[in-house]
Amino acid sequence: MPNTIAVELRDVVKAFGSVVAVDNLSLSIPDGEFFSLLGPSGCGKTTTLRMIAGFEMPTSGEIDIAGEAQGYRPAHRRPVNTVFQHYALFPHMTVYDNVAFGLQMQKVDKSAIARRVAESLDLVQLNGMDKRRPKQLSGGQQQRVALARALINRPKVLLLDEPLGALDLKLRKEMQVELKTLQQEVGITFIYVTHDQEEALTMSDRIAVMDQGRVQQLGVPEDIYERPVSRFVADFIGETNFLHCMVMQTAPRGEVELAGGIRVPVSWIREGISPGSQALLSLRPEKINLFELSDTYPTGPDSAVVHGHVERLVYVGTDTHHTIKLDNGATVIARVQNFHVEEEPWEIGEEVIVQWDAAHARVFRE
Amino acid sequence: MEQTLRRNPALRAWLLIAPAGLFLLIFFILPLFIVIIYGFLERGTYGGVVWQFTAENFSRVFDSLYFSTFLRSLYIAVLTTLFCILVGYPLAYFMTSRPPRQRNLLLLLLMIPFWTNFLIRTYAWLTLLRTNTGLINVTLMNLGIIKEPLPLFGNDFAIVLGLVYGWLPVAVLPMYASLDRLDRSLVEAARDLYASGGQVFRRVIWPLSLPGVVAGSMLVFIPSLGAFVTPAILGGGKSLMIGNVISNQFLAAHDWPFGSALSTLMMVIMLFATLLYFRSTALKAKEERA
Ligand SMILES: Nc1ncnc2c1ncn2[C@@H]1O[C@H](COP(=O)(O)OP(=O)(O)OP(=O)(O)O)[C@@H](O)[C@H]1O
Ligand SMILES: [Mg+2]
């Protein structure tokens, strides 16, 4: 059944007193999707998730799960399960009882429970751990128990609130892959909360970037990274250079003027910015090419070219970050991949030609 | 001197506990031994003891008279503990569900009775409960609600009421502490896994707050079993609990050895109760670790 909607939020608002945690949120998440809510601390991700789970009731607006309006239905009557940030495993129960809990509450018969617990533990590779207590497990294992405990109920939707937040980097990366594989295996809709942009980019089918209770941009990972629609999204996802500019023309092709009267072509200007207004040009560091004065470099209507001097070099392994002082006074950082180990092509203070394609330059409001 | 101390951390530790240790030795352990030894001696005519070994005091303890008093004390102590938990647990639960500011206020309110002397507070109950002149009976009779005064005084009811009143705060505190420590996300997790309110309580909240309940029970049971002020005042002047029997042996009957024997037996029973408690909590801790 493609295209059926697992979760739908319509104009959902949640206010805690005078604090508006979630502000007019509308989302439509299809069945089987890995959907991420990404945003800085306090943007309302957890609150959104808790409203779907039924731990908080919206101040206004509606939430549908599997086509059914939830209204004020309490958490234990909703067809969703949650993986909590700190797992919230029951410390006084064994792994078996933790995982079996949901089925026991639904009065499933004992032999069926035993079979499904074994299956679930198998799914998360925890066979043979069923008699242990949560405290006797490592962080990663506890994480898996939390997953098994939720998935055993075969929920329509699994809600995950920063489930990898407590793990160290290496384990985190491993679990990212595992979670994604697992999601594809079971085919359950995942709604995943994170403030780690890399995690969201690598795992999600679609991402909603939130700020101050609102969705700033919603799209596939590539859209979010390559085609941010606001200064906030460009800044929050990955690294970016911002250059002050004045919009010269928006059609038929975009053009802006940087400080010092340098005109460069741009591929996209945010709607509603009219010629003559001040704006911000955003450019990812890896999209910048550096050329020596003697090199030939791309020219033409879609190529932006600015002269500058190398100010600083930071070697970070795969790349070297070049800080370039442009002749117009602005500074940009260019990431250049380290193909050759033997040569160090740039020296501090050396003159350099900074070039990028118009396709990579996007213009936002200041 | 300083040098020696610096080089010898064990000596330093011993010196630190010396004042407390000496105090306990002189004012606690020594008297304890005196009580135990007196239990095996013969009585002097006007109190005191005669240094002559006998086991008769301990066999007298099991006389039906004293033994039934003892059983009644046990019954009253168990009842008191039960009511303290029954009333105290919901109270503790309610307190932990309040915002932090209100919680502190409620804790303060809980402690206020301790600012007044226990004896005075027990006499206050006397003026409320007395059969013919007590405030409750007088009011009810004047209002014509009852014809005969209710038996509120001079019985087990009055003693249990007085003891519950006295020890309730002590029962609430450990239960409050263990409920307060309980991670609220566990409750949400249980809810999320389809548990109803009652199931959440039975499967998660109660088992996790049980150590607090056990601690609260111990703190109420032990002093209730040995109580003598409350039964003396609210029990209508008759010696109703084992605590009164013991105090009578010293103050009225001048039979110190028998009083000592009774005390020793009480201590043994309480020791067992405490051991049982530690075993149950140690077992739990071990289960969680194992
Ligand atoms: N129970 C509550 N009472 C009052 N304010 C709350 C409550 N829960 C959340 N808030 C407020 O709502 C806003 C959003 O909180 P939320 O927990 O949803 O953020 P978040 O995006 O999950 O942040 P984080 O990444 O730090 O977990 C915050 O300003 C927070 O202070
Ligand atoms: Mg959160």
Side-chain angles (χ1 to χ4, degrees):
Chain A
M1 290 189 300
N3 294 332
T4 54
I5 299 301
V7 176
E8 178 153 3
L9 280 73
R10 280 188 304 276
D11 309 317
V12 170
V13 175
K14 179 69 191 184
F16 296 103
S18 60
V19 180
V20 180
V22 173
D23 194 2
N24 232 329
L25 190 67
S26 293
L27 288 174
S28 185
I29 303 165
D31 255 342
E33 187 169 64
F34 197 120
F35 187 89
S36 289
L37 289 168
L38 174 64
S41 188
C43 73
K45 307 179 296 283
T46 297
T47 306
T48 305
L49 210 65
R50 289 172 58 80
M51 284 193 287
I52 299 172
F55 298 134
E56 305 277 1
M57 297 301 161
T59 309
S60 67
E62 281 160 64
I63 296 175
D64 291 359
I65 300 172
E68 257 185 84
Q70 298 299 305
Y72 290 101
R73 190 180 285 182
H76 68 287
R77 300 234 179 82
R78 297 193 181 201
V80 300
N81 287 113
T82 307
V83 175
F84 293 82
Q85 178 162 10
H86 298 289
Y87 318 138
L89 298 178
F90 305 122
H92 58 300
M93 296 182 199
T94 59
V95 167
Y96 182 96
D97 283 329
N98 266 282
V99 176
F101 194 88
L103 296 183
Q104 287 169 354
M105 291 303 112
Q106 295 176 91
K107 308 257 179 324
V108 175
D109 72 69
K110 279 217 169 84
S111 60
I113 292 180
R115 186 171 43 78
R116 278 170 71 178
V117 169
E119 276 170 21
S120 295
L121 289 178
D122 211 37
L123 189 69
V124 296
Q125 298 158 32
L126 278 181
N127 336 50
M129 302 261 187
D130 54 342
K131 288 197 185 60
R132 296 214 194 168
R133 303 232 167 208
K135 273 198 193 125
Q136 302 167 269
L137 300 175
S138 71
Q141 289 168 333
Q142 290 181 25
Q143 170 67 72
R144 286 161 213 252
V145 175
L147 267 172
R149 184 175 74 170
L151 285 174
I152 195 172
N153 306 295
R154 299 176 189 150
K156 290 267 188 312
V157 181
L158 187 67
L159 308 171
L160 304 100
D161 192 355
E162 310 209 13
L164 308 182
L167 304 180
D168 61 51
L169 192 66
K170 192 156 180 299
L171 194 55
R172 218 181 145 111
K173 298 256 180 206
E174 280 171 28
M175 285 300 293
Q176 284 176 11
V177 178
E178 233 173 85
L179 259 181
K180 178 76 187 173
T181 317
L182 192 69
Q183 191 261 339
Q184 284 162 343
E185 232 172 89
V186 295
I188 291 173
T189 310
F190 274 35
I191 303 182
Y192 192 96
V193 161
T194 179
H195 63 252
D196 181 333
Q197 37 120 352
E198 200 184 315
E199 196 167 285
L201 290 174
T202 51
M203 299 170 80
S204 320
D205 295 321
R206 281 195 309 156
I207 300 170
V209 181
M210 288 181 73
D211 187 37
Q212 298 182 347
R214 292 164 176 272
V215 171
Q216 302 293 317
Q217 186 170 356
L218 196 155
V220 299
E222 198 188 313
D223 265 344
I224 301 284
Y225 184 81
E226 302 288 353
R227 288 174 282 282
V229 297
S230 69
R231 176 189 181 154
F232 173 81
V233 176
D235 199 21
F236 187 72
I237 313 288
E239 285 162 39
T240 197
N241 293 295
F242 286 120
L243 295 169
H244 288 280
C245 64
M246 191 204 275
V247 175
M248 301 311 289
Q249 62 174 49
T250 56
R253 46 188 306 120
E255 191 183 35
V256 299
E257 187 179 280
L258 302 176
I262 303 165
R263 291 191 174 202
V264 293
V266 295
S267 65
W268 184 88
I269 296 176
R270 170 105 196 210
E271 236 173 89
I273 304 183
S274 46
S277 43
Q278 292 292 324
L280 216 52
L281 183 151
S282 142
L283 185 63
R284 300 281 186 203
E286 74 276 13
K287 303 294 196 291
I288 296 177
N289 305 310
L290 302 179
F291 295 97
E292 288 187 57
L293 290 183
S294 54
D295 288 340
T296 52
Y297 54 84
T299 50
D302 283 331
S303 177
V305 177
V306 187
H307 287 248
H309 289 83
V310 176
E311 201 173 62
R312 203 147 56 95
L313 297 172
V314 180
Y315 175 78
V316 294
T318 54
D319 306 328
T320 299
H321 296 184
H322 300 61
T323 306
I324 313 286
K325 181 98 173 168
L326 300 180
D327 286 354
N328 67 6
T331 304
V332 293
I333 292 177
R335 263 182 185 224
V336 181
Q337 211 178 330
N338 296 320
F339 286 116
H340 311 288
V341 269
E342 64 278 7
E343 58 177 313
E344 178 58 71
W346 298 103
E347 279 172 29
I348 307 292
E350 198 177 343
E351 197 173 352
V352 58
I353 291 168
V354 177
Q355 184 272 336
W356 67 85
D357 290 341
H360 298 135
R362 297 173 71 80
V363 176
F364 311 125
R365 259 182 254 278
E366 276 186 297
Chain B
M1 177 69 193
E2 212 187 308
Q3 286 257 321
T4 336
L5 273 182
R6 218 170 262 158
R7 266 195 236 118
N8 195 339
L11 183 67
R12 217 161 50 199
W14 279 112
L15 276 176
L16 278 174
I17 64 152
L22 212 64
F23 183 90
L24 279 178
L25 183 73
I26 297 173
F27 296 106
F28 183 74
I29 301 191
L30 232 56
L32 194 68
F33 270 106
I34 293 173
V35 169
I36 295 171
I37 292 166
Y38 272 25
F40 290 100
L41 299 177
E42 282 187 9
R43 61 177 292 184
T45 324
Y46 306 102
V49 288
V50 176
W51 283 86
Q52 183 80 51
F53 175 86
T54 170
E56 196 230 358
N57 296 316
F58 283 91
S59 58
R60 253 176 78 204
V61 161
F62 295 99
D63 276 2
S64 64
L65 173 66
Y66 301 115
F67 198 69
S68 68
T69 311
F70 177 76
L71 283 184
R72 280 214 31 230
S73 305
L74 204 64
Y75 163 75
I76 285 173
V78 168
L79 223 57
T80 302
T81 309
L82 223 61
F83 279 117
C84 277
I85 301 304
L86 234 54
V87 177
Y89 192 91
L91 178 61
Y93 191 83
F94 171 78
M95 283 167 63
T96 52
S97 68
R98 300 284 96 191
R101 264 243 198 111
Q102 278 185 44
R103 270 189 237 182
N104 289 337
L105 183 73
L106 287 167
L107 278 175
L108 188 74
L109 288 175
L110 199 67
M111 290 295 111
I112 282 182
F114 286 121
W115 298 353
T116 310
N117 183 289
F118 185 62
L119 207 62
I120 292 170
R121 284 186 285 139
T122 310
Y123 272 110
W125 274 109
L126 184 75
T127 63
L128 285 176
L129 298 178
R130 251 192 312 230
T131 313
N132 290 314
T133 50
L135 205 58
I136 295 173
N137 273 330
V138 168
T139 311
L140 288 178
M141 297 221 300
N142 284 348
L143 288 175
I145 297 171
I146 50 170
K147 295 232 154 49
E148 292 293 309
L150 296 171
L152 300 176
F153 174 73
N155 51 21
D156 291 356
F157 166 81
I159 297 176
V160 171
L161 184 66
L163 287 173
V164 169
Y165 162 78
W167 298 115
L168 188 62
V170 178
V172 169
L173 286 180
M175 294 194 285
Y176 170 82
S178 72
L179 282 168
D180 192 42
R181 264 202 312 271
L182 196 141
D183 184 356
R184 293 286 134 170
S185 68
L186 294 179
V187 174
E188 287 190 344
R191 279 262 164 197
D192 190 64
L193 295 164
Y194 318 109
S196 65
Q199 286 168 322
V200 173
F201 182 75
R202 276 200 307 282
R203 296 288 307 266
V204 178
I205 298 173
W206 177 254
L208 287 175
S209 59
L210 206 56
V213 175
V214 175
S217 306
M218 293 299 298
L219 291 178
V220 172
F221 179 77
I222 291 177
S224 297
L225 189 60
F228 74 95
V229 170
T230 311
I233 297 172
L234 299 178
K238 291 161 271 175
S239 83
L240 281 163
M241 284 177 76
I242 201 75
N244 306 104
V245 176
I246 294 173
S247 77
N248 276 346
Q249 296 311 312
F250 287 95
L251 302 177
H254 300 300
D255 193 345
W256 291 18
F258 185 53
S260 299
L262 281 171
S263 299
T264 306
L265 197 74
M266 290 277 292
M267 276 191 292
V268 170
I269 286 163
M270 286 173 191
L271 194 70
F272 268 107
T274 317
L275 281 179
L276 227 64
Y277 162 67
F278 279 124
R279 268 202 48 173
S280 72
T281 48
L283 221 74
K284 255 188 109 61
K286 204 174 143 198
E287 259 179 17
E288 261 159 42
R289 260 183 286 113

